Amino acid sequence: MAARHPPSCTVRQLGWSDPKYGEIATPRRPMRLAGGYGSGLSLRHGGGEGIVWAVCDRGPNLKIKTALERFGLSQFENFEGGEGAKVMPRLDLRPVIAELRLREERVELVRTIRIADAQGQPVSGLPIPASGHAQCEPALDMEANVLEPDPNGMDSEGLAALRDGGFWVSDEYGPSLLRIDAEGRVQLRLLPKGLELRGAGYACRASLPALAVKRQLNRGFEAISLSQDEKWLFVAFQSPLAHPDKDAHEKARHVRIWRLDAASGDVAAQYLYPLDAPQTFLRDTAKGEVEKSDLKVSEVTALSDTCLLVLERGSETTKIYRVELDAGTQLPPEHLEEATRPTVEELSAEDSFPLPELEKSLIFNTDDHPEIAADLEGMAVLSPSRLLLVNDNDFGTEGAETSFWRIDFEEPMLR
């Protein structure tokens, strides 16, 4: 049962200015583009004081509906209703990692590191090739041409900074996990079993459970964190899997969280995070009906080897919960197997759920702080009683700006 009364806190917006990347003329309004470093945040254990690392996602992209209704781009009418299709207007704006410095009342951009293959060639934000084992989203250019998939493509959504200067990055496409060195070069990409990326410019290992490819389109790995000793890697899917099908995804209310051995990449334990009821996301319901499939997990941050903060959100409302991981909350190992029936997602729709689930303690709810921006995706623990949050501005394509929020609690988050 989730605790519903968050501890007292104060909220402050920190100063920040998005880098500007020009604009694209469209029939209805200019599409103004800006830097977007709000997909994920991470501190480096033992790193420099005031330094936070951030990651952007694949690059500017639009849903077909947005291209038609907001910008009047009628060339995309034939793609209306195409599941997962995205317009990518600036392919030169690729996945990057950013080093940020926290001042007392503002955040400053120190530098960016472009993610590259093992030879130093920048990766793209294009979808990876689909296969009989996995689907991937189609991407279109501004002339409505279907773009060729790229085995080096990634949708970088989460970040964990390592003591050696490198990073782990979570990717929504595969979904996959990428080990990246301090210069931004991909050293290894962990893929679900059965998925191949022929032509990738770095080493790939298909060692993750095969059921990972059952992620709902555009809902792969978004949340990632490291234990302080860097032995464990925690990753969460953004939403319930579409396992065995999309109908199961839409009805399910549990998100899978994995604890992996960071050295081998093997899954050591699986946990189930129960999403809140859709009607409890008040800022979202004020704008219309909210479905189970609208909810997502966008960030996890390890407070200890057995305690995580989980950022759960709709579009407008964001809630942050503390969860404890122990042997009693682990899922039986057969639920890592793709062939197991009924699946977790099928069971999740039942009123009487027969599997262990994580107990949640509410830490923070933006419904109590309406000044905070929508679409929060990044979270970093600055101290035992201080959080940093950031929204994803979608590269400014719909007019949003990045905003950083410092949350100071009256008591430590880890008890």
Side-chain angles (χ1 to χ4, degrees):
M1 189 71 178
R4 296 294 172 180
H5 302 290
S8 298
C9 66
T10 58
V11 172
R12 180 178 293 275
Q13 184 176 2
L14 304 181
W16 166 263
S17 296
D18 281 331
K20 306 302 181 187
Y21 294 147
E23 60 182 49
I24 298 172
T26 74
R28 292 193 179 153
R29 55 168 60 84
M31 185 190 303
R32 296 187 173 91
L33 301 178
Y37 304 115
S39 287
L41 294 177
S42 178
L43 262 64
R44 172 168 286 138
H45 295 302
E49 185 176 357
I51 296 298
V52 178
W53 297 90
V55 68
C56 74
D57 58 28
R58 71 186 101 177
N61 62 92
L62 304 169
K63 295 179 180 178
I64 299 299
K65 181 178 180 180
T66 302
L68 293 171
E69 295 181 0
R70 180 176 176 84
F71 297 107
L73 297 170
S74 59
Q75 63 266 37
F76 297 107
E77 288 176 350
N78 291 338
F79 294 92
E80 193 170 10
E83 186 175 15
K86 291 292 180 72
V87 179
M88 300 189 71
R90 284 277 302 271
L91 296 181
D92 59 307
L93 298 178
R94 302 163 180 251
V96 300
I97 294 168
E99 182 180 0
L100 309 175
R101 183 180 299 278
L102 301 182
R103 300 298 186 184
E104 184 61 30
E105 301 297 333
R106 67 175 290 102
V107 181
E108 297 174 354
L109 177 62
V110 178
R111 61 177 175 134
T112 58
I113 302 171
R114 179 158 286 188
I115 300 176
D117 67 14
Q119 292 72 46
Q121 295 300 309
V123 303
S124 78
L126 290 169
I128 60 175
S131 69
H133 193 66
Q135 286 183 289
C136 215
E137 298 84 342
L140 312 168
D141 66 16
M142 287 294 284
E143 284 71 49
N145 299 308
V146 178
L147 295 163
E148 287 293 320
D150 180 4
N152 285 323
M154 66 183 65
D155 186 6
S156 43
E157 288 284 358
L159 183 72
L162 292 144
R163 284 189 178 86
D164 68 2
F167 308 89
W168 279 101
V169 167
S170 57
D171 154 65
E172 284 204 326
Y173 284 145
S176 63
L177 302 172
L178 298 104
R179 180 64 164 86
I180 296 173
D181 69 15
E183 284 71 48
R185 299 189 183 197
V186 177
Q187 304 297 298
L188 177 66
R189 188 170 189 170
L190 300 181
L191 300 165
K193 293 175 184 176
L195 184 61
E196 296 183 23
L197 287 182
R198 292 187 178 91
Y202 40 72
C204 294
R205 185 196 305 158
S207 59
L208 299 175
L211 61 77
V213 300
K214 299 295 185 179
R215 54 93 177 167
Q216 172 66 8
L217 287 178
N218 203 37
R219 299 285 184 92
F221 292 140
E222 181 149 324
I224 187 169
S225 186
L226 274 168
S227 61
Q228 188 166 348
D229 62 6
E230 300 188 352
K231 179 180 179 180
W232 302 113
L233 192 63
F234 302 97
V235 297
F237 288 89
Q238 191 177 13
S239 297
L241 299 183
H243 188 32
D245 50 32
K246 184 179 178 181
D247 183 63
H249 157 77
E250 291 177 344
K251 293 178 180 178
R253 60 180 184 88
H254 290 85
V255 172
R256 299 178 189 241
I257 296 178
W258 288 349
R259 175 167 60 87
L260 295 90
D261 183 312
S264 67
D266 295 333
V267 177
Q270 181 174 215
Y271 306 89
L272 292 179
Y273 178 86
L275 295 167
D276 281 0
Q279 64 269 22
T280 66
F281 292 77
L282 302 183
R283 286 167 59 177
D284 289 281
T285 57
K287 291 192 170 184
E289 187 176 357
V290 182
E291 304 290 343
K292 287 181 182 178
S293 59
D294 295 323
L295 307 181
K296 61 208 81 166
V297 169
S298 287
E299 188 80 288
V300 295
T301 301
L303 294 178
S304 73
D305 287 3
T306 58
C307 183
L308 302 179
L309 292 185
V310 180
L311 190 155
E312 175 184 351
R313 69 182 186 92
S315 292
E316 299 286 331
T317 296
T318 294
K319 305 179 188 184
I320 298 173
Y321 282 99
R322 183 179 63 236
V323 297
E324 302 286 344
L325 311 179
D326 57 47
T329 57
Q330 288 186 30
L331 215 55
E334 61 265 25
H335 289 287
L336 277 175
E337 300 298 327
E338 188 179 10
T340 298
R341 295 294 186 276
T343 70
V344 165
E345 290 69 29
E346 288 173 317
L347 293 170
S348 181
E350 297 181 6
D351 292 334
S352 180
F353 186 61
L355 296 173
E357 62 181 17
L358 295 171
E359 185 173 340
K360 303 158 60 172
S361 297
L362 185 62
I363 296 296
F364 187 72
N365 187 345
T366 62
D367 284 340
D368 300 327
H369 303 274
E371 70 274 22
I372 294 183
D375 295 319
L376 294 178
E377 289 195 10
M379 173 174 64
V381 176
L382 304 180
S383 79
S385 58
R386 176 173 284 184
L387 273 181
L388 181 68
L389 303 176
V390 65
N391 67 307
D392 181 2
N393 73 343
D394 293 323
F395 288 83
T397 52
E398 296 186 53
E401 296 181 350
T402 304
S403 56
F404 289 88
W405 302 85
R406 191 178 68 207
I407 316 299
D408 288 288
F409 297 99
E410 292 184 358
E411 56 189 49
M413 290 173 280
L414 180 62
R415 297 176 182 175

